[in-house]
Amino acid sequence: MKRLTVKVKPNSKQQLVCQEADGSLTVQLKSAPVAGKANRELIELLAEKFGVPKSAVQIKLGSSSKLKLVEIEL
């Protein structure tokens, strides 16, 4: 199991996942933070990046914040 700190930037022009020097991720999302759309897009992107099913990615803290704690079952 892997825990990551993720900084989300919704309403971006492109989807992008960048790893920072401290091990955290900065993720740019095209979706707006409305009705959970950005969270669903984040889960899809991280599942694709780490090669796991979407069900293996969970937002543990910060579901309504730009700073999130995400848990991935590898």
Side-chain angles (χ1 to χ4, degrees):
M1 190 176 326
K2 187 172 192 163
R3 289 188 176 184
L4 298 169
T5 302
V6 178
K7 184 177 181 184
V8 177
K9 295 182 178 181
N11 292 326
S12 296
K13 292 186 180 191
Q14 61 181 351
Q15 291 179 330
L16 186 63
V17 179
C18 296
Q19 183 145 11
E20 302 298 330
D22 63 357
S24 67
L25 295 177
T26 300
V27 180
Q28 294 180 358
L29 303 172
K30 289 183 177 182
S31 299
V34 176
K37 288 182 183 179
N39 286 340
R40 285 191 295 273
E41 184 181 352
L42 174 66
I43 289 170
E44 288 174 13
L45 269 178
L46 292 179
E48 185 178 311
K49 178 175 174 54
F50 289 99
V52 297
K54 291 186 284 186
S55 61
V57 180
Q58 292 184 332
I59 298 173
K60 289 297 192 179
L61 292 172
S63 62
S64 61
S65 171
K66 288 185 179 184
L67 193 60
K68 302 177 187 299
L69 178 64
V70 177
E71 193 171 86
I72 302 171
E73 292 182 36
L74 299 174

